[in-house]
Structures are given as C-alpha cells and as structure tokens.
Amino acid sequence: MITFGIEDLTMNLHDWAKHHEQMGVFVKRVYDGTDKVVETDFKKLREIASRHEDKLKSKKGFVFGDTTESVTDYYLPLKNLGYKKTELPYYHVGSMNTRQVTRVRFHFKPEDVEFKLDYEFKTSGSMCSTFKDVIRDIEDTIEDVIQDILELDINDSDRLSQHGITSSDDGYVIMVLDEVLNPMEIEIEKHQLLDSLVGVEIYDFEQVIDDSIMDDN
C-alpha cells in the first residue's frame, strides 16, 4: 500500500499510486449561490482542512434531482510519504560483466487526468539495451510493457490495484487521478492511451558486477 498524509492524518492507496506525488481527499461540497454546505463526516479531516484552506483544490459539477444544482467540490491534497524522487548519480550499461535493473515511470495525460505506469528493465552484458533504445521505439516499448503486465498470472482486480491497468473490450481500464487529485477508474482506447504519453524517466538504477556473465559468452 502507498501512504499519503498531511500533519498526523494518513490514508492509503494501492500500489498503482506509487508515482503520484499527491492524492486528493474530499472535504466539502458547496451548493453554488446558496448557504448549503455538505462536509465530510471525518472530523480530523475537517479540522486539518480548515488549517490548509489555501491548499484546497476545487472542481465544478452538477447534482441532478428534482432540479439541477451547480456545486463546487473541494479536495485536500495529501503528500505521498514514500515518493521516490529521481536520483541517478551513475548510469552506464554495456559492460561485459554487469547486470542492471533500470526502473522507469511512464507519465500519461489523457485530457485532464493523470496515469503513471511503472516498469523495470533487466539487462546484462555488452549487447544489452540502453535507455535510448527504450525511448527510440517508445510506442513499441509501451505496448510491450503493457502486454507484459496483462500477461501476469494474477486476476484483473489485482492487476488494476497493483499496476493501475487491465484490459477491456475496447482497450484498457486504468487508475488515474483527476484534476483535483481524486482517484478514479476510467476506460480508454488503446490509441488514446498511447497518444497521451507526455514523459518517460528513469527513477532508479541498480547495477552489480557479475563475472559469470563473461563465462556464459
């Protein structure tokens, strides 16, 4: 589980959220043009939110009933307490006697939501792929990465909670954060997801020397 928090308040999301720096939690709904306000039942959250009014994110919407009412929902951002920032003091592949794990995050922006995909590439020896190879054929790379995830021997529910993506009749189901950082599940067509890629980065790199690799060659 991934822990998000502010002050002494913490909340958890599944592993799909590991590359999101913040998540939003509902605080209150204001009925526009009226004095009506519906707040969260969570007392501690209300108290903390009152001390961080300047951080609240708002989202316009409508409530449908006997009449249609315009509302504004407010969310308080919580920080990912275990977020791993990119730290890359060293990067080199292609030596005959090294094995390495390159951990990469893919950042997608389909319209106003954000989807982050995590993957690790294991390579070894002098003929291994570099990060340049990964991004040079980026569309093929993403398709291969997604296919690897879809072929994992786990059920669709676990796949979605752990990796944030599973298959659907018309493409994929993915876990995203919307413009107020609220977690949600959406369906998206394959080409829409691929076309929404806005960033790829190495966030972690591990390498070990293994002379047995040369013996195998």
Side-chain angles (χ1 to χ4, degrees):
M1 300 294 283
I2 308 301
T3 302
F4 294 78
I6 184 171
E7 294 187 10
D8 62 342
L9 172 68
T10 59
M11 294 186 175
N12 294 324
L13 288 179
H14 287 290
D15 289 350
W16 67 265
K18 69 183 290 185
H19 291 303
H20 291 279
E21 294 188 64
Q22 293 180 307
M23 67 162 284
V25 59
F26 176 79
V27 174
K28 62 183 177 181
R29 168 169 289 173
V30 176
Y31 287 74
D32 300 335
T34 74
D35 295 329
K36 183 178 179 181
V37 178
V38 178
E39 294 185 298
T40 175
D41 293 333
F42 194 176
K43 181 180 178 181
K44 178 184 283 189
L45 176 57
R46 294 198 306 269
E47 293 173 348
I48 292 176
S50 69
R51 295 192 289 271
H52 297 277
E53 288 279 348
D54 59 320
K55 296 181 180 178
L56 296 184
K57 292 183 173 292
S58 62
K59 181 179 182 180
K60 294 284 187 178
F62 295 94
V63 174
F64 300 97
D66 294 335
T67 61
T68 300
E69 299 179 272
S70 173
V71 299
T72 303
D73 291 338
Y74 291 85
Y75 290 78
L76 177 66
L78 275 60
K79 182 180 179 182
N80 183 341
L81 301 182
Y83 182 76
K84 186 172 182 59
K85 295 182 178 180
T86 299
E87 295 180 2
L88 209 63
Y90 174 81
Y91 176 78
H92 173 75
V93 299
S95 297
M96 294 181 64
N97 63 339
T98 59
R99 296 183 187 275
Q100 48 275 324
V101 178
T102 304
R103 298 184 176 88
V104 175
R105 51 185 162 219
F106 299 89
H107 182 188
F108 301 83
K109 187 75 174 177
E111 298 185 2
D112 58 355
V113 300
E114 289 196 353
F115 172 60
K116 306 283 183 77
L117 187 64
D118 177 85
Y119 196 73
E120 62 179 38
F121 297 89
K122 297 180 179 180
T123 57
S124 63
S126 58
M127 302 300 291
C128 68
S129 298
T130 66
F131 183 61
K132 182 180 75 173
D133 297 323
V134 170
I135 60 177
R136 180 175 55 202
D137 303 312
I138 190 63
E139 185 165 328
D140 289 340
T141 296
I142 296 172
E143 290 190 34
D144 289 343
V145 165
I146 293 175
Q147 190 59 37
D148 283 350
I149 294 172
L150 296 181
E151 290 177 356
L152 291 173
D153 188 20
I154 54 178
N155 62 51
D156 285 343
S157 177
D158 288 341
R159 196 187 328 276
L160 193 61
S161 65
Q162 293 174 23
H163 301 279
I165 187 169
T166 191
S167 58
S168 71
D169 291 340
D170 298 319
Y172 309 114
V173 176
I174 58 176
M175 295 300 303
V176 302
L177 297 185
D178 67 9
E179 66 266 36
V180 291
L181 307 175
N182 182 44
M184 58 191 299
E185 177 183 312
I186 68 169
E187 287 195 43
I188 188 169
E189 294 182 12
K190 178 179 177 179
H191 74 90
Q192 291 176 316
L193 180 60
L194 297 179
D195 290 346
S196 70
L197 180 72
V198 294
V200 186
E201 70 170 329
I202 299 175
Y203 70 91
D204 191 40
F205 178 74
E206 295 180 3
Q207 187 176 71
V208 296
I209 295 175
D210 184 354
D211 290 331
S212 68
I213 298 173
M214 294 188 294
D215 297 334
D216 294 337
N217 295 331

